[in-house]
Amino acid sequence: MKKGWLALFSAFLILLSACGSTMPEAKISFGSAEKMEELEVHFIDVGQGDATLIKCGGHAMLIDAGENDKGILVQNYMRKQGVNTLDYLIVTHPHSDHCGGADVVITKYDIDTVIMPNYSRDTASYRDVIQALDYKHKQITEPRVGDFYQLGDARFTIIAPNKEDYGDEANNYSVGILLEHGDKKFVFTGDAEEEAEKDIIDNGIDISADVLKAGHHGSRTASMGDFVAAVHPEYAVISCGEDNEYGHPHAATLNTFRGMGIQVFRTDEQGSLIALSDGSTITWNAAPSDTWKAGEPVGSGANKAKQGEKKITYILNTKSKKFHKPSCDSLPAENRKDSTQSRKEIVAQGYAPCGRCKP
């Protein structure tokens, strides 16, 4: 009887083994574990400047912090978003409209990693940032192209700067990143201009993305056609101040976007903008702008200038001793002096003409 039972059991095992290849495998469902943490990208309205808060799950990072008087605004915005610590702070470059408010953020928040380019400026704004880092005993992490960092279910890759020496063109030292969340991608380039954009194209990293943060506040010196084509975004975001003195965004940039069928968001018209990604789709807190209105003076504004209501002939940089045309894209953010004097009078004071606008 015992042998008969054993024989029957052995036969069952043989039959089970023979049928194993045709039996369906058990599937385990992980439920919410399969769903990605939502990514939030907040393009904060800081006027004529840049500040972008990025959140994913319980993680957060900040790219730039606006002008000197915007540090508290950025701090309060992050507090309202429930941000108490930062995984990363990226200061793209040392111009005050990007780094000015960073000293407040560094002082008020615990930050794991601070990424800044190996390029400095002897300005009060930049010195404040360095002093805040010293106060918090924080080291600077220099950006290296190709390095990537995790932010919850998102990650970002450094795509710029690609050279150690761009001369005195501070904008081209801007830290650039490619932010990825599932199938959705965002590109940020600070104030990088044409030369730096070409270097990004040539560095071998695929920069195709859904959203492009327009370089240099929509200036004609950035978001060049070849670069925008390489990113091939569905959306572009322009961060600039209403009626700013630089004329941002420039008509040339808007024409590039419009010609490529890119939908544009802009803080000067719409305030702070928020993009939400679930890894497969992106939704916004506002509809795209449909004005296509350039910041350069036209109509009555141009007539007022012609009538000489504010007849500024040149812009002086009292630190570098360079002078610029008022329309120059390299106007100083600090040590600036507006002049109504003639070119001859300014040169006689020891000023040299800007190499870009050639006044």
Side-chain angles (χ1 to χ4, degrees):
M1 187 70 181
K2 185 181 291 186
K3 289 183 179 179
W5 167 249
L6 290 174
L8 182 63
F9 183 70
S10 297
F12 174 76
L13 290 177
I14 293 171
L15 179 63
L16 183 63
S17 175
C19 295
S21 60
T22 61
M23 294 177 67
E25 295 183 0
K27 294 184 178 180
I28 301 174
S29 175
F30 292 96
S32 60
E34 294 179 343
K35 186 178 180 180
M36 297 190 73
E37 298 170 325
E38 187 175 59
L39 176 75
E40 302 178 20
V41 182
H42 298 247
F43 302 91
I44 306 172
D45 180 13
V46 289
Q48 184 62 21
D50 267 15
T52 304
L53 172 66
I54 302 169
K55 298 171 57 183
C56 192
H59 302 271
M61 65 182 288
L62 182 70
I63 306 175
D64 291 329
E67 269 286 4
N68 293 284
D69 61 346
K70 301 300 181 182
I72 299 298
L73 182 152
V74 172
Q75 177 194 358
N76 290 337
Y77 188 98
M78 292 197 295
R79 180 181 294 142
K80 290 179 180 178
Q81 297 302 318
V83 175
N84 299 312
T85 62
L86 289 171
D87 293 58
Y88 310 97
L89 169 64
I90 297 178
V91 179
T92 59
H93 63 296
H95 280 162
S96 63
D97 58 331
H98 291 253
C99 78
D103 57 332
V104 173
V105 175
I106 293 167
T107 302
K108 299 294 185 179
Y109 281 84
D110 288 332
I111 305 170
D112 290 340
T113 304
V114 178
I115 300 174
M116 296 171 59
N118 184 24
Y119 179 77
S120 62
R121 294 290 292 268
D122 185 20
T123 64
S125 296
Y126 186 76
R127 288 194 297 271
D128 287 345
V129 172
I130 299 303
Q131 289 172 4
L133 290 170
D134 290 343
Y135 172 73
K136 294 296 288 283
H137 305 292
K138 294 299 299 181
Q139 298 294 317
I140 294 173
T141 298
E142 292 184 14
R144 294 190 302 178
V145 171
D147 282 0
F148 66 88
Y149 300 84
Q150 204 70 29
L151 185 77
D153 283 345
R155 60 176 261 174
F156 65 91
T157 304
I158 303 294
I159 61 173
N162 288 273
K163 292 179 183 175
E164 294 183 359
D165 187 5
Y166 283 101
D168 293 330
E169 297 296 336
N171 289 338
N172 285 333
Y173 292 91
S174 291
V175 179
I177 70 166
L178 171 68
L179 174 67
E180 300 175 79
H181 182 246
D183 296 332
K184 300 291 115 179
K185 300 178 183 179
F186 298 71
V187 166
F188 300 82
T189 60
D191 277 356
E193 298 183 332
E194 184 174 9
E195 182 181 358
E197 287 184 343
K198 287 180 178 178
D199 292 335
I200 294 173
I201 294 173
D202 294 339
N203 70 17
I205 298 174
D206 179 7
I207 58 171
S208 59
D210 303 274
V211 180
L212 170 64
K213 167 65 176 54
H216 201 186
H217 319 288
S219 168
R220 68 175 71 89
T221 62
S223 300
M224 309 305 289
D226 290 346
F227 181 76
V228 177
V231 179
H232 193 61
E234 182 176 359
Y235 308 104
V237 179
I238 300 172
S239 179
C240 63
E242 185 179 7
D243 298 326
N244 66 85
E245 61 186 305
Y246 305 99
H248 297 154
H250 289 156
T253 301
L254 294 175
N255 290 339
T256 296
F257 292 153
R258 194 170 192 175
M260 294 186 183
I262 298 168
Q263 299 181 71
V264 172
F265 295 89
R266 42 195 291 184
T267 61
D268 63 328
E269 291 183 347
Q270 300 170 287
S272 294
L273 295 156
I274 305 171
L276 302 177
S277 166
D278 62 7
S280 59
T281 59
I282 295 175
T283 57
W284 297 83
N285 69 326
S289 169
D290 59 2
T291 67
W292 299 103
K293 179 183 177 182
E296 295 150 304
V298 294
S300 60
N303 291 334
K304 288 179 181 179
K306 289 178 181 178
Q307 292 167 9
E309 289 191 5
K310 189 178 180 182
K311 189 178 180 181
I312 298 174
T313 53
Y314 298 103
I315 309 299
L316 313 182
N317 186 326
T318 58
K319 178 74 174 179
S320 68
K321 302 297 286 186
K322 295 285 183 68
F323 68 99
H324 310 253
K325 293 179 181 178
S327 60
C328 181
D329 294 311
S330 298
L331 295 177
E334 298 179 345
N335 306 304
R336 171 183 171 139
K337 181 181 178 182
D338 297 344
S339 176
T340 58
Q341 294 177 303
S342 68
R343 187 181 192 280
K344 184 176 180 180
E345 290 172 322
I346 293 171
V347 170
Q349 296 173 37
Y351 285 88
C354 166
R356 178 179 289 275
C357 65
K358 298 178 174 59

